């Protein structure tokens, strides 16, 4: 995957934008179309105390509501740390929004003020689809794109 190209495209598309939903929609679209193994790419937004709701996404339907206490997305929202799950069947309390999902990468999304805005969730029908490079490069892109988001 060409992360330098993705980074350039996202900077051009998102330059000057601070609206969270607009940024999430653009990032979800670009990442989904770029990552060869992503079957579902989207955001879950923090909408209340310990509660995530679906945001902009690409792919089939997603779960509408995820409490911080459940699943991979909830675990990332609770801990503030990324999770790369090579086998979702081995993750305790995995929420199966799609029965075909085999692996998942979930990253926290922070703004520059340190507020958790949500999580970016990439699902794949391929086991162990996501790499340490995916995690590192997407984390850096998210930090930059959402720095001034409100």
């Amino acid at each position: 995957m060409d992360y330098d190209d993705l980074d350039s495209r996202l900077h051009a598309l998102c330059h000057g934008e601070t609206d969270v939903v607009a940024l999430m929609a653009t990032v979800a679209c670009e990442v989904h179309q770029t990552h060869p193994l992503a079957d579902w790419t989207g955001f879950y937004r923090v909408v209340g105390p310990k509660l995530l709701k679906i945001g902009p996404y690409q792919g089939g339907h997603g779960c509408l509501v995820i409490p911080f206490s459940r699943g991979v997305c909830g675990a990332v929202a609770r801990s503030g740390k990324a999770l790369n799950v090579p086998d979702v069947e081995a993750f305790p309390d995995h929420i199966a929004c799609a029965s075909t999902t085999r692996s998942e990468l979930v990253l926290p999304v922070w703004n520059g003020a340190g507020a958790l805005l949500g999580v970016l969730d990439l699902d794949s029908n391929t086991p162990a689809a996501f790499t340490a490079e995916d995690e590192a490069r997407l984390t850096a892109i998210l930090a930059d794109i959402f720095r001034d988001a409100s």
Side-chain angles (χ1 to χ4, degrees):
M1 183 160 151
D2 187 346
Y3 277 106
D4 292 334
D5 183 55
L6 175 64
D7 192 38
S8 293
R9 284 195 325 271
L10 282 171
H11 275 88
L13 292 165
C14 297
H15 179 73
E17 183 58 64
T18 59
D19 180 79
V20 172
V21 174
L23 293 170
M24 287 179 172
T26 303
V27 171
C29 179
E30 290 298 314
V31 171
H32 189 73
Q33 301 220 7
T34 301
H35 199 291
L37 298 177
D39 294 295
W40 193 94
T41 307
F43 289 88
Y44 285 95
R45 302 169 297 115
V46 175
V47 296
K50 301 185 187 304
L51 187 65
L52 298 168
K53 281 197 178 180
I54 198 162
Y57 68 91
Q58 301 277 310
H61 69 84
C63 298
L64 298 182
V65 178
I66 299 176
F68 280 27
S69 61
R70 298 226 28 238
V72 180
C73 290
V76 170
R78 266 193 326 273
S79 70
K81 296 179 179 164
L83 278 175
N84 186 344
V85 181
D87 177 5
V88 296
E89 298 296 323
F91 188 88
D93 197 37
H94 173 257
I95 300 170
C97 296
S99 62
T100 55
T101 299
R102 294 292 167 254
S103 61
E104 188 170 5
L105 174 63
V106 181
L107 306 168
V109 180
W110 305 93
N111 68 12
L116 181 66
L117 303 173
V119 299
L120 172 62
D121 181 13
L122 284 82
D123 295 348
S124 180
N125 297 343
T126 303
F130 305 107
T131 66
E133 181 186 18
D134 292 327
E135 182 179 334
R137 294 296 301 266
L138 288 171
T139 296
I141 287 170
L142 293 172
D144 194 41
I145 295 294
F146 289 92
R147 179 180 298 120
D148 297 322
S150 52

